[in-house]
Amino acid sequence: MSAPRQLLAIVLLGLTLLLTTGQAWAAEPSPALPALSPADQQRADKLAHGLRCLVCQNQTLADSNAPLAHDMRNLIHAQLADGRSDAQIMRFFEDRYGDFVRYDPPFKPITWLLWLGPFALLALGFWVLLRTLKRRSGRRAPLTADERARAARFLDTGS
């Protein structure tokens, strides 16, 4: 067997093992969690909708089926069962994963660019547009006598 074929076989075998192992992990049952009251279940849902799935990145924890999202929902559930407040739970996830984990990052100096950047780009684009339109609408100087004569010769002869 040639070297490229051996390498391809090894890569395919590795991918197969990785995929089947990942499926086995996803199929493992989560540890039994204590039941939550309806009010706490509502809080858990609200928190899960306010946190981003770190695997999917475009979905909330509540919407994601990723194993990590499932584990994070279990963490929310366990912390609510321990009597922690919503702010404490959010702080736990922010400390662990950074502000990115929140769907609505806080307005603080490190996130100012995130919040104000789109408005600054919009203002810059508007300024460039106005400046360009102003330049285009500027009056051009009238032709000199020499330029008129040259234009007349061009129009008469066609060259």
Side-chain angles (χ1 to χ4, degrees):
M1 191 185 286
S2 67
R5 283 188 178 190
Q6 287 177 339
L7 180 61
L8 179 63
I10 290 171
V11 168
L12 289 175
L13 178 63
L15 284 173
T16 304
L17 288 173
L18 182 66
L19 290 174
T20 56
T21 306
Q23 289 171 354
W25 286 339
E28 288 181 14
S30 61
L33 296 170
L36 293 176
S37 68
D40 282 344
Q41 186 59 47
Q42 228 175 5
R43 286 176 53 208
D45 291 341
K46 182 180 174 189
L47 287 166
H49 278 93
L51 293 170
R52 179 185 315 273
C53 173
L54 298 171
V55 175
C56 308
Q57 297 185 2
N58 287 351
Q59 291 182 320
T60 64
L61 287 183
D63 298 331
S64 176
N65 292 326
L68 179 62
H70 178 71
D71 293 342
M72 290 171 77
R73 287 190 301 267
N74 285 343
L75 278 171
I76 292 171
H77 186 99
Q79 289 186 16
L80 285 171
D82 287 344
R84 294 204 176 146
S85 69
D86 292 359
Q88 289 173 321
I89 295 171
M90 285 299 243
R91 174 62 44 106
F92 168 80
F93 283 104
E94 286 175 359
D95 290 344
R96 193 171 216 182
Y97 301 109
D99 290 331
F100 179 74
V101 76
R102 292 183 61 154
Y103 246 88
D104 58 341
F107 189 75
K108 56 186 185 182
I110 198 162
T111 60
W112 283 353
L113 183 61
L114 175 68
W115 284 102
L116 301 176
F119 298 109
L121 287 175
L122 182 65
L124 178 66
F126 189 66
W127 178 76
V128 167
L129 176 67
L130 287 177
R131 192 166 176 200
T132 302
L133 291 175
K134 187 176 179 181
R135 279 187 186 169
R136 286 186 180 178
S137 68
R139 307 234 359 142
R140 294 186 181 171
L143 295 177
T144 63
D146 190 35
E147 290 172 336
R148 277 194 209 131
R150 209 165 106 212
R153 277 195 315 263
F154 179 76
L155 290 173
D156 288 340
T157 62
S159 59

